[in-house]
Amino acid sequence: MTDYKMHLLICGGTGCKAAESDEIKKSLKNWIDELGLEDDVQVVFTGCFGFCEKGPIVKVMPDNTFYVNVKPDDAEEIVKEHLLKGRPVQRLLYTDPVSKKAISDSKGMNFYKKQLRIALRNCGFINPESIDEYISRDGYMALGKCLGELTPDETIKEIKDSGLRGRGGGGFPTGLKWEITRNVESDEKYVVCNADEGDPGAFMDRSILEGDPHSVIEAMAICGYCIGAENGLVYIRAEYPLAIERLKIALNQAREYGLLGEDILGTGFNFEIDIRLGAGAFVCGEETALIHSMEGLRGEPTFKPPFPSVSGYLGKPTNVNNVETFANIPVILNKGASWFSKIGTEKSKGTKVFALAGKINNVGLIEVPMGTTLREVIYDIGGGIKDGKGFKSVQTGGPSGGCLTKDFLDTPIDYDNLIKAGSMMGSGGMIVMDEDDCMVSIAKFYLEFTLEESCGKCSPCRIGNKRLHEILENITNGNGKEEDLERLKLLSNVIKDTSLCGLGQSSPNPVLSTILNFEDEYLAHVNEGKCPAGQCKALLKYEIIEDLCTGCTLCFRNCPVGAITGERRQPHYIDQSLCIKCGVCYEKCKFNAIRLS
Amino acid sequence: MPKIKLAENTVQQIKEVCAEFGNKEGELINVLHKVQNKLGYLPAEVQEVIARELKTSVAKVYGVVTFYSFFTMIPKGEFPISICMGTACYVRGAEQVLSEFKRQLKVEVGESTDDGKFSLNCLRCVGACGLAPVVMVGEKVFGRVAPTQVVNIIKEYREGCASENAKSA
């Protein structure tokens, strides 16, 4: 950031791009050129700011003004008022939902106050397509330090001392993994970055690669130096075109600067990185399946041991780490293991990035120190539940995780506490549910996902999950029995114990955790034929409340099957034998005269 | 298995892609990505050519194509519609949006309309969870879609006025 007096940072993440941030950039640029400001003001795309709920976001530097929900038409006012006259555009500032005051600096927002951004340190601050901006924020300093001053063993010791654990879900100590791979003798070794983020509703890794690709490249080179590998591979989902593009640009820049390739920084260390595309298979997040997919095979997992550290890609020792894990490495080496290990809880150090989504006011990407409670995340950062509804559950760990109730709101988040509570950290998806969500349907939703994604190699996962799904289908259709709960539990445990890979071993978790935490809701389905959340259509009955019905005939005219009868200005009536429970009458009625029971 | 004969230049195109990746068996997935990108889909005939070039069996190519959801053996519609069924979209009503699309287009997931204009698919998380529920038509993203908007989205494309937008967006 050299000669310009001002910088306009526009969120160039996938979420904001989907909401026309390209148009905003174009429009801002046009107005800047038109008013002759092009030598004073720079307009750049940055990575995700995290506050997706209020996107697209435009930030004005150096005064740190944070504009939310910007539209292309707002560009004129921003340029003329703010840039020319120094008057921030009040109507585009974020309004605090409690105090109703406009806040111009993001540091003053509750959404950011409790966050600590380590892995996301550069997202939203730098132009991800500029290696110079990364370097200006201490980029590639850690690589230089390792190659110049530290031996591989000293570097690994630093990572071990920091207490960093794998951020992809398992939580295996990163330093230990590096050490194991280092100690295996082989003529060739590989560093693999797992960017196959398959957990639906999670976009942490994508945002890091889109917002700060160099941090991952730097860390992979450091890992290569430590374990003795000269080749790295990034396995990334084909569904992330923008992240792939930014990664390619970053790789080329790093090569140009001599930070990748042969004889890096004149130290004699060689390292090259290649990209491998995934093709849409959730199971490929599992490291053995991922390796097979990189070899051009079906992404089926194989039994461990041997672990990839011993025999991985092409049978060579391979160190597989997740994107977020890598993004932490350069900071740890720059600031020291003792700095990092002071953050977090006893056994989980540092921070964790979460993709906060679902029925919550502030959907977005957040990073908090380990040990932050769910309540702080949901109510302080997340701004509470949407539409003033009641909190019911939070789901962590995606299809492998579980649903937690309000009893766990004050549990500090770390690897071990979440497992104790019947869920898991997973890669960082966090979906909030309110009183309208039926937990049996949620369990069924996750099983549908597992069914589709099961590779079919081992029978517990292929057949067992299918049976689990059938039982849940019966329950939501009103054909469940109380014994089904026991059958679900028994079958779930068999699948967990006997499946080949992590996918099957964790797939019954959503079922088990919802039975454990929401047994009442299951019982209401099987014993009383009721869905307390009003989600399971087969268990619902639409009825007209006579006292409120004005006989406007709107429902009668809209009913697709002619199940509603009645005279004009007289209360109407729904014939239950004809009703298909489509809910059109419920949506159309202007007098709240239709109830669900 | 093959029913049609591929045009000579199509075969040539496929061979070029294979050669670009050194005709290596290990590059199969990259080859499939590139070929699908050019041809739109990967029917059996195309898989045969690839198998021959990479010196592997058709069964293996077929095994890989059917394993990954990104690859398809059925051509997509002119305007491929994808409904995000990630968890964030699901809890914000994606299922109702999907059933409205099915009802309006009279197709099931994975099928195309008879006129070839629309195909309907589900996908897992576009990553625009702030805009949930999300629908993609081609490359264009529609956010916060309510079931009542579905009919307008379809109309927009059926009348053709938005076709340029979809391609350039």
Side-chain angles (χ1 to χ4, degrees), chain A residues 364-430:
Chain A
L365 193 72
I366 64 161
E367 182 171 352
V368 290
M370 297 277 189
T372 306
T373 64
L374 284 167
R375 188 184 298 280
E376 288 172 293
V377 169
I378 294 167
Y379 287 94
D380 297 342
I381 298 172
I385 311 301
K386 238 185 163 49
D387 304 324
K389 297 245 164 127
F391 168 83
K392 183 171 198 176
S393 172
V394 56
Q395 209 278 352
T396 65
S400 312
C403 296
L404 303 175
T405 58
K406 61 178 189 311
D407 298 340
F408 295 99
L409 277 177
D410 294 307
T411 305
I413 304 169
D414 70 9
Y415 290 100
D416 310 290
N417 278 340
L418 285 178
I419 286 175
K420 247 186 271 162
S423 183
M424 66 185 277
M425 181 76 84
S427 60
M430 197 180 264

Side-chain angles (χ1 to χ4, degrees), chain B:
Chain B
M1 172 159 73
K3 289 184 204 97
I4 51 164
K5 193 170 183 299
L6 292 174
E8 202 47 50
N9 62 348
T10 309
V11 175
Q12 198 50 40
Q13 260 187 326
I14 301 170
K15 283 184 177 169
E16 274 163 23
V17 173
C18 294
E20 202 181 306
F21 291 99
N23 290 327
K24 274 190 260 169
E25 200 186 327
E27 299 279 356
L28 177 59
I29 291 176
N30 285 333
V31 169
L32 292 174
H33 268 297
K34 195 132 194 193
V35 173
Q36 179 165 296
N37 204 1
K38 282 179 190 282
L39 305 179
Y41 69 123
L42 300 164
E45 297 80 359
V46 171
Q47 295 178 30
E48 285 210 328
V49 181
I50 295 175
R52 211 159 47 226
E53 291 303 300
L54 304 185
K55 295 183 187 56
T56 180
S57 68
V58 188
K60 205 190 133 189
V61 177
Y62 178 78
V64 170
V65 169
T66 50
F67 184 85
Y68 296 98
S69 61
F70 204 81
F71 300 130
T72 172
M73 292 175 63
I74 308 165
K76 284 198 171 146
E78 186 183 344
F79 305 111
I81 300 175
S82 309
I83 320 287
C84 179
M85 284 299 259
T87 323
C89 287
Y90 175 79
V91 299
R92 285 201 187 176
E95 217 179 12
Q96 286 89 304
V97 175
L98 174 65
S99 52
E100 190 60 20
F101 269 107
K102 283 196 218 164
R103 208 168 68 92
Q104 294 283 346
L105 296 172
K106 298 186 184 61
V107 292
E108 285 300 310
V109 175
E111 294 177 352
S112 302
T113 50
D114 291 339
D115 58 4
K117 273 227 181 306
F118 299 99
S119 54
L120 188 62
N121 274 298
C122 290
L123 53 80
R124 302 284 181 197
C125 202
V126 205
C129 304
L131 300 172
V134 171
V135 171
M136 283 179 84
V137 183
E139 300 276 300
K140 190 174 159 71
V141 177
F142 292 84
R144 302 199 173 112
V145 178
T148 45
Q149 284 168 272
V150 168
V151 65
N152 292 330
I153 295 176
I154 296 173
K155 207 167 130 197
E156 195 179 322
Y157 285 91
R158 193 156 265 155
E159 285 167 8
C161 58
S163 59
E164 258 68 43
N165 298 340
K167 277 165 196 163
S168 63

Side-chain angles (χ1 to χ4, degrees), chain A residues 475-495:
Chain A
I475 295 178
T476 53
N477 279 334
N479 301 324
K481 299 186 191 67
E482 203 174 326
E483 307 85 275
D484 284 343
L485 267 67
E486 279 312 309
R487 287 170 61 207
L488 282 173
K489 282 188 222 166
L490 181 70
L491 184 52
S492 294
N493 286 319
V494 172
I495 297 171

Side-chain angles (χ1 to χ4, degrees), chain A residues 399 401 447 450 465 468 488 491-493 495-496 503-513:
Chain A
L447 267 182
T450 312
N465 283 314
L468 278 183
L488 282 173
L491 184 52
S492 294
N493 286 319
I495 297 171
K496 278 180 79 139
L503 189 140
Q505 286 158 14
S506 61
S507 61
N509 284 350
V511 180
L512 288 173
S513 82

Side-chain angles (χ1 to χ4, degrees), chain A residues 216-234:
Chain A
V216 177
I217 296 173
E218 182 180 4
M220 286 178 74
I222 294 171
C223 180
Y225 172 69
C226 291
I227 65 167
E230 294 197 340
N231 285 297
L233 293 155
V234 181

Side-chain angles (χ1 to χ4, degrees), chain A residues 292-311:
Chain A
H292 292 141
S293 180
M294 289 198 309
E295 293 166 342
L297 304 168
R298 288 164 67 98
E300 288 171 344
T302 36
F303 192 75
K304 292 192 280 192
F307 287 90
S309 300
V310 178
S311 171

